[in-house]
Amino acid sequence: MGITDFFRPVDAQFDGGESEGAQISPSPQTLEAVPVPDASGSDPNPSPPRDAREAWRPEREAREAFGTLGGAPPSDVSRRRARGAAHDLQYDEWAQPKRGRNFVLREFREKTRGAGAPMAGCVVHFPAGLTPHVPQKITMSRILTALTKSQNALIESPTGTGKSLALLCSALAWQETKRAEVKVANERVAERNAAKTLAFEEACARRRHARAKEANEKDSIGRSRGAPASDDGAGARADAALARELDEALAEHNEKEKQKAFSLDTFSNDENEPRGARARDEKVSFTLGRPDGLVVPKLADPDDDVSVHVIKNEPHLSDSVPEREPFASEFAPIAPPALERPQSVPKIYLCSRTHSQLHQLMRELKRTPYAPRYAVLGSRKQYCPIGKNDEECAELTKNKNRGETACGWYNKKDAVVEELRRARVWDMEDLANVAKSHLGCQYYAMRALHKNAELILCPYNYVFDENIRAALEIDLTGAAVIIDEGHNVEDVCRDGASMEISVTELEDTASQLGSVAKFLDDADVAARLMRPLKDWVNRSLAESSSHASKSSKSSFKRFNGFSGPVEAAHGEALWKGDDVATAIARALAPRTLAGSREKKSGGARGDASAAVALARSIVADASRVTAFDGALVREISQNGNTFGLNAITTCHRVCAALLAALDAPAEFAACVSADLSRAGETDQKTSSTSFGAGDREKEKTEKNAAGLALWCLRPAVSFRPVAAAARCVVVTSGTLSPMGSLEGELGVSFPVKVEAPHVVPSRQIHVEASDVLGDFTAKAQDADGTPRALGQFLLRYLSRNVIPGGVLVFLPKYSLIRRVIERWRDDGTLAAIEKHKTVVWEEPGAQTLTPTLETFRRSIDSGDKKGGVFLAVYRGKVSEGLDFKDANARAVFCVGIPFPAVGDVKVRLKKEYNSSAYARSERMLPGGDWYAHQAFRAYNQALGRCVRHLHDYAAIFLVDARFARHADADRNKSMVSKWMRHLVRVFASPRESVGTLEEFFRGLEADPPGGGGAGGEPAGG
Ligand code: SF4
């Protein structure tokens, strides 16, 4: 409900309500006059006398008010409005002062630019006062090459070299050049189309003239034979009718095009004007002759006065031609001109791993001299100001296609959109402020901005997950996709094609689809997939459970060891390679599969391909009917319903994974497990077969744990379709090496590859390998004395106040951090460290991160400059998503090497897959090497949290004997980031180490880099 609705007569507003049984009784308040706002929207009477509004101050309970106000019997419209009102009251909207157009952000003003630097056919502008340094120039030139030549690129640029700024400036410079080219090209297209249209209209005019002439001749012949002459003449009537029909046809098609206002946007230079409006005002004559509406002459019909017939929305012209005599030679049909579509400016999808990295990119974007139209896509979880999940939001906004919804924030999303368009340049803080000020929904504001955005920022799983792409209407056709922080692109792509679903979800989905199928036939197509799938999963669980109970656990342990082929663990079923397709066929086409087997056993040649093909067609049908923009979803939602939508979404997700697995079974493994979270572990519980007996709670928990998994083993499954649709994909990160292996995993070629050098001089980096904790393997991590040894090692430097500012300590797992803190508390190490630095640590989940970071940063910025110690995990938010420049990280201790969990069945399957002959032929790394690279990518990310710009400096400690005096030390050192591997030193004694470090910091404090230390060149990347 909007502010203006508030001033409607009360009985019109509140004649119904959310509360089903609300009793509405007449009230004297409803009889009083309610002032009407002036046109500006400001309050005409700031402190009204006792009127109806007094009854609706927020301190009053909404439902109580519903119970006391009277009104007419509820109509549909007013009931909806009242639901919105109740919702608004809930969020205290009326406590806010009423406002007109109070903008929070400044209106956009064109930024002044310098001359810019010509590069690869574009002119690149950098923020005023900044000159790009060598790694930035290398990055920009490679990105421009990739964009202009439409080639995929891998760009490795060390963290802290200003990579983000470089990629933004180069990509936007390229887009600006393309915009100018497209404008010129479209002007030519407009000229050509106008000429064709003119020729067509002239031909039509000639035809009219000829037809009229013929009619007049017929008239005069008739008169000469004694027939009465008509008053106005058939020719004139034909002429008028023809002209009218032509005009109507043109008007109708032009109106259709106005609504679409598709890529005609590109014709305008005025960036401040709303795009739709520009399109409406310009070039509408392009619409004539588009394939969806044709104006063609009708076949000669002796009984008609006119010779033109309008055929609307008929895809096949030939189908619409009446079966009559051949064309009269004199009046053969005039073919409508084939008009060219105008080109559009290619979009750029700029993706990063996390939202906090996207926020950093937006801050950099604000610094650039470019102002593209952009949007930042996120989830409801991230954006919804009232904390609603997808289902709750769908319920609240179910009327969105029919007017006002029950979510007041949704109803005001347009105000947010308008202000962001007006400001043009904004970041996430601005967005939050605008949304708060207008009480408008950020999530839907971003969806609205996305439609016309030229630059779209989003996490990169949005691009690689087909379901998210469809849900958010992400169209990558012809777009440039740039992946920042792309070192995790392999994992994200594998996850994007994988799927896990519990037995509970399977059953709920099948049951909901069954209910919807009673009313809508299409739902039955989806139910025909989900029902047998659910039954098969339950059957497989029962079979594996009974098999497990007959066998001893020890025999499964033998199969499930960490060496040799990966086999199903106790009580689960596992399929790999072609068996994945056969397993799906067994679920969906069991009779066809059984038939093919019988044939085979009877001597005839038989295989599972018929059953697999049948299964595929069942899945493809279900996928079609459950599409996000499909008829089934439309039919349900256009009636304002939400029941069944979740089941349809789930079914579509399952279909996507099943189709991918059926198309490329060699790239997948399938598993049915009684506990998916512990799949592959030998000691997991077995399911209670069909979940038929036992207490309900236990049954529910087991059903939630048990389920089906389809694990994708090759990122190419998700990456290839993106690369095929997009103009090019550019992957950038500080740690992409080895690039050959990455190329093999992603399954496409990357003609552009570059490793940019670091910018920081070696005197600003101290790198030391220490064996104080020995080989920090999983066994050593669990050793009793590890926490104390780590504490004593840190105190070696901290007790002498050698290290200024912040210290980051990375450990392999959260459980180790917890154990270290507990032991430090008990043995006094924590108190000893806290005399010198404030100690904070990372917890799983995002909730505690912000306050922890604030505590850490306060310790650094405080007057005594005490600084802090931050214990964090590899692959966590701190190690991969945050920037600790200058005093925030003067030392980083990387403890151990973060190898992926060797017991994780997915890791074992991937290692096995990579060691296969097929993977080798596709240039993927062997399993063992892949495993090591996974560890060192995470390691190098953690190392790169410090030394974030040209004038930054820090000490880095590699705390593991495997980097020091060890047979594999050289090989391990060769895996750390190139920019620092040659600086690694090992000291003979603690005293030597402390002394060297003291000297390092003293020297830099006496002679700070850049003459001042902090600030300097742009950070990022
Ligand atoms: S996401 Fe937006 S529309 Fe949905 S519930 Fe939240 S505020 Fe309302």
Side-chain angles (χ1 to χ4, degrees), residues 87 91 379-381 383-390 392-394 396-397 405-411 413 439-445:
H87 185 72
Y91 301 107
S379 62
R380 283 189 180 86
K381 191 175 167 200
Y383 276 138
C384 181
I386 51 177
K388 300 291 176 195
N389 61 28
D390 291 359
E392 290 165 337
C393 173
L396 284 171
T397 58
T405 73
C407 178
W409 294 80
Y410 178 88
N411 301 337
K413 69 175 191 319
L439 300 171
C441 172
Q442 300 176 52
Y443 175 77
Y444 278 104

Side-chain angles (χ1 to χ4, degrees), residues 15 78 237 472 487 615 622 653 668 707:
D15 51 357
S78 54
R237 284 203 310 280
L472 294 181
H487 46 276
R653 179 169 67 90
F668 279 84

Side-chain angles (χ1 to χ4, degrees), residues 277-295:
R278 277 205 307 280
R280 276 194 294 279
D281 296 342
E282 293 179 54
K283 313 293 178 190
V284 287
S285 62
F286 276 70
T287 59
L288 180 65
R290 289 196 44 173
D292 54 351
L294 302 172
V295 180

Side-chain angles (χ1 to χ4, degrees), residues 394-580:
E395 180 61 32
L396 284 171
T397 58
K398 63 187 180 186
N399 288 327
K400 64 174 179 274
N401 298 327
R402 300 192 291 175
E404 203 165 78
T405 73
C407 178
W409 294 80
Y410 178 88
N411 301 337
K412 297 190 197 74
K413 69 175 191 319
D414 291 344
V416 179
V417 172
E418 186 192 338
E419 172 145 13
L420 294 178
R421 277 199 179 129
R422 178 178 172 274
R424 288 281 291 279
V425 181
W426 46 271
D427 61 17
M428 295 311 282
E429 284 80 32
D430 296 331
L431 171 62
N433 287 338
V434 171
K436 205 166 147 196
S437 159
H438 295 287
L439 300 171
C441 172
Q442 300 176 52
Y443 175 77
Y444 278 104
M446 285 303 111
R447 296 280 302 266
L449 283 180
H450 176 211
K451 287 195 170 76
N452 285 317
E454 295 166 336
L455 172 69
I456 299 104
L457 294 105
C458 61
Y460 51 77
N461 59 322
Y462 284 31
V463 164
F464 293 113
D465 188 318
E466 188 194 329
N467 296 302
I468 301 179
R469 274 205 309 270
L472 294 181
E473 299 169 77
I474 294 176
D475 180 9
L476 299 175
T477 314
V481 178
I482 301 176
I483 310 289
D484 191 22
E485 300 296 342
H487 46 276
N488 285 319
V489 70
E490 282 183 41
D491 297 346
V492 169
C493 287
R494 275 201 308 273
D495 288 350
S498 300
M499 180 271 299
E500 289 186 7
I501 185 164
S502 70
V503 169
T504 312
E505 275 183 285
L506 280 167
E507 290 183 350
D508 288 352
T509 307
S511 143
Q512 278 193 34
L513 288 171
S515 304
V516 178
K518 289 177 190 155
F519 307 98
L520 299 169
D521 290 345
D522 273 358
D524 194 42
V525 177
R528 283 206 297 272
L529 164 74
M530 295 309 290
R531 269 195 299 259
L533 191 66
K534 169 206 72 170
D535 293 341
W536 171 73
V537 170
N538 274 331
R539 241 182 3 256
S540 302
L541 281 169
E543 279 167 19
S544 54
S545 172
S546 74
H547 182 55
S549 57
K550 281 185 212 147
S551 317
S552 71
K553 272 194 174 187
S554 58
S555 70
F556 278 94
K557 271 184 183 159
R558 181 168 58 83
F559 289 125
N560 205 34
F562 294 156
S563 59
V566 186
E567 297 288 345
H570 193 67
E572 68 185 24
L574 182 69
W575 299 270
K576 295 181 272 180
D578 288 343
D579 289 347
V580 173

